């Protein structure tokens, strides 16, 4: 039927690699019907792979599309390569995506947390900016295959970990994403709780339950905000993109209002400049490196899953320029957070580092409305893009026949309860050194393995049809669907960081200094060691 056809279109514009001149192809060799029972579509679409075949030649230009036959267990509408009509992200759309993610309560906390631990104001901001400049490199590198092939991270991971082995890295990333979803939802729930009538907040429901670690009322606010976000997610990626498009400028305006208010009330921002370091030189460097790792880990989940977004970019130039603003946006917003926080000492006589409590302290009906709007938008833009998409795509990849993006998002909202975010946020030290640094040891090796495979082993050439094939002859089937080289590199990459983590959470009383150093630099150590080991093993085993 014409309504179920897919046209295979050769996109040979400046953003794609240049290919040798090909003989002319007849239209009939490029347009044909989809096999019955595979997919349901109501319109004729165009599938545009932006790369030549892999060295195996399995997805060469001019090949009949009926040979691109994705296995139903490996795909659904959410996992297929994006169509040209879906690739509508210009660089400013990706930039607004990052603005929406950066402007949030956790980012507001970052530099303030470092100052709270003893750094000078400029040291805290410099640490945040340096971390984001470092992160920008793997961010752009990981985003490249998303734009080139139109594939999400779970599909990309099949190249390095194997068709079935990809479930391991995507599941680890999804777990961290669920934890972050809980943290952001707890922050949004705090905003709801803050503006409840006092009669409700003073009721028996506001009493803390020891076994739960929080009150039933706060928990109810947390769950309410958690599920309220699903209204945006329910419309899928298009709903998320539209939400970010309009939320970003609103957040910039509200942030500017908060900064102007602090400037006027505190008669300038000079108080921030008086914050000096309380650390000796050796103490500073002991704090700097784990803080650098923590700030890199802050975006590690979305940086790993950035193909989920760059697959919608029009060109590589758009994805690179669109992401280049991250260090600027993050540095500017943490500077605002630190400036406003330091001003509260002058305005109220004591420091208020929590922006939700600050907005409640300012008072007034207009302020309350703006506070609810601002915190809700800031939290939702960050949470939906950074912490819903990765777990949802991982679950869809795990079982495409059972999970749609919507179902996976609902599961994420439920599963985040297990992380008990109210405990993770109990102190700056537990948030930074237990949560952020801890999960960097899990995600670092995945970064290293995926990038080593794509750039050093594959030389950026992938076979699209093999990424969706369960054939034992497929390029990414390896042994039973698992790439042993990637699995070995992942485990060995993580192991050295475990003693330091156990010592940090109190399970071990003391460990060797070398393990402390490894843990404090977990992302750097695990990503580089796993990449090197994988490159060696894969070079010996992959033809």
């Amino acid at each position: 039927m014409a309504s179920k056809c897919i046209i295979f279109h050769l996109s040979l514009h400046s953003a794609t690699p240049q290919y040798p001149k090909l003989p002319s192809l007849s239209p009939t060799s490029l347009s044909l019907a989809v096999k019955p029972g595979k997919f349901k579509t109501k319109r004729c679409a165009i599938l545009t792979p932006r790369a030549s075949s892999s060295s195996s030649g399995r997805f060469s230009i001019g090949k009949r599309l009926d040979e691109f036959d994705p296995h139903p267990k490996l795909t659904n509408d959410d996992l297929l390569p994006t169509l040209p009509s879906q690739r509508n992200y210009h660089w400013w759309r990706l930039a607004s995506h990052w603005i929406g993610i950066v402007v949030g309560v956790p980012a507001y906390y970052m530099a303030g947390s470092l100052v709270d631990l003893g750094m000078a104001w400029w040291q805290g901001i410099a640490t945040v900016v340096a971390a984001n400049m470092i992160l920008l490199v793997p961010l752009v590198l990981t985003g490249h295959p998303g734009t080139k092939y139109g594939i999400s991270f779970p599909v990309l991971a099949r190249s390095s970990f194997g068709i079935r082995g990809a479930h391991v890295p995507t599941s680890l990333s999804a777990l961290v994403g669920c934890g972050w979803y809980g943290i952001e939802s707890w922050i949004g729930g705090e905003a709801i709780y803050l503006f409840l009538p006092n009669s409700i907040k003073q009721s028996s429901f506001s009493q803390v339950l020891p076994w739960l670690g929080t009150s039933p009322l706060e928990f109810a606010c947390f769950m309410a905000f958690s599920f309220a976000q699903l209204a945006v997610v329910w419309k899928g990626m298009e709903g998320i993109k539209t939400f970010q498009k309009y939320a970003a400028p609103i957040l910039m305006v509200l942030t500017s209002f908060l900064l102007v208010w602090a400037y006027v009330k505190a008669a300038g921002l000079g108080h921030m400049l008086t914050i000096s370091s309380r650390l000796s030189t050796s103490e500073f460097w002991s704090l700097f490196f784990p803080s650098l790792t923590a700030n890199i880990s802050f975006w590690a989940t979305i940086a790993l899953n950035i193909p989920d977004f760059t697959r919608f970019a029009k060109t590589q130039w758009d994805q690179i320029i669109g992401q280049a603003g991250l260090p600027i946006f993050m540095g500017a917003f943490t500077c605002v957070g630190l400036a406003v926080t330091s001003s509260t000492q002058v305005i109220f006589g004591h420091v208020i580092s929590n922006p939700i409590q600050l907005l409640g302290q300012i008072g007034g009906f207009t302020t309350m409305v703006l506070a609810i709007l601002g915190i809700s938008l800031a939290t939702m833009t960050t949470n939906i893009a950074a912490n819903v998409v990765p777990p949802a795509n991982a679950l869809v990849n795990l079982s495409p026949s059972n999970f749609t993006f919507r179902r996976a998002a609902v599961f994420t909202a439920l599963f985040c309860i297990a992380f008990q975010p109210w405990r993770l946020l109990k102190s700056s030290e537990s948030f930074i050194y237990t949560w952020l640094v801890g999960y960097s040891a899990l995600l670092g090796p995945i970064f290293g393995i995926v990038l080593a495979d794509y750039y050093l082993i594959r030389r950026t050439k992938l076979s699209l049809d093999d990424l969706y094939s369960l054939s034992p002859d497929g390029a990414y089937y390896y042994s039973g669907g698992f790439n042993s080289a990637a699995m070995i590199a992942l485990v060995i990459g993580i192991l050295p960081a475990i003693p330091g983590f156990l010592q940090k959470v109190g399970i071990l009383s003391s460990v060797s200094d070398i393990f402390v150093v490894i843990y404090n630099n977990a992302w750097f150590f695990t990503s580089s060691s796993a990449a090197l080991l994988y490159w060696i093993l894969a070079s010996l085993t992959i033809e």
Side-chain angles (χ1 to χ4, degrees), residues 1-7 31-37 39-45:
M1 295 175 62
S3 62
K4 293 186 178 180
C5 73
I6 293 182
I7 298 173
S31 180
L32 39 98
V34 174
K35 292 186 175 182
F39 303 101
K40 295 180 180 179
T41 178
K42 296 181 179 179
R43 60 189 175 90
C44 190

Side-chain angles (χ1 to χ4, degrees), residues 291-333:
S291 299
L292 189 70
T293 301
N295 275 273
I296 290 174
S297 303
F298 190 76
W299 298 123
T301 48
I302 191 170
L304 190 61
N305 288 272
I306 198 63
D308 296 348
F309 298 94
T310 60
R311 64 196 292 238
F312 297 101
K314 293 183 72 68
T315 66
Q316 291 293 353
W317 177 256
D318 286 303
Q319 78 99 355
I320 293 171
I321 298 302
Q323 298 196 86
L326 172 61
I328 300 173
F329 302 146
M330 191 66 180
F333 188 66

Side-chain angles (χ1 to χ4, degrees), residues 239-250:
I240 293 173
K241 288 190 287 185
T242 302
F243 180 70
Q244 290 175 324
K245 177 181 178 180
Y246 293 105
I250 296 175

Side-chain angles (χ1 to χ4, degrees), residues 54-56 58 74 154-167 169 449-450 452-454 456-458 461-463 466-467 469-487 534 537-543:
S54 66
S55 56
S56 63
R58 287 187 172 87
L74 295 177
V155 177
L156 173 63
R158 295 171 184 175
S159 169
S160 51
F161 284 86
I163 294 298
R164 294 191 175 98
H167 297 319
I449 293 168
V450 169
D453 180 81
Y454 183 67
L456 300 181
I457 303 299
R458 309 291 174 188
K461 292 181 173 62
L462 298 176
S463 168
D466 283 343
L467 287 172
S469 173
L470 277 176
S471 170
D473 295 326
Y476 315 120
Y477 192 79
Y478 300 106
S479 177
F482 294 86
N483 184 2
S484 57
M487 297 301 172
Y534 176 77
L537 294 175
S539 297
L540 298 174
T541 58
I542 299 177
E543 297 180 359

Side-chain angles (χ1 to χ4, degrees), residues 175-227:
L175 283 174
V176 176
C178 286
W180 265 116
Y181 185 86
I183 288 173
E184 293 281 2
S185 296
W186 177 257
I187 291 170
E190 279 188 314
I192 296 175
Y193 179 84
L194 181 65
F195 295 108
L196 288 176
N198 288 330
S199 57
I200 297 178
K201 289 192 287 187
Q202 294 172 359
S203 67
S204 59
F205 291 106
S206 63
Q207 300 300 313
V208 175
L209 300 178
W211 62 269
L212 183 61
T214 186
S215 69
L217 184 59
E218 289 175 302
F219 183 79
C221 292
F222 159 64
M223 292 304 299
F225 191 86
S226 177
F227 281 96

Side-chain angles (χ1 to χ4, degrees), residues 363-380:
F365 178 77
T366 302
T367 301
M368 182 178 71
V369 173
L370 289 175
I372 293 176
L373 173 64
I375 292 172
S376 297
L377 276 178
T379 303
M380 290 173 70

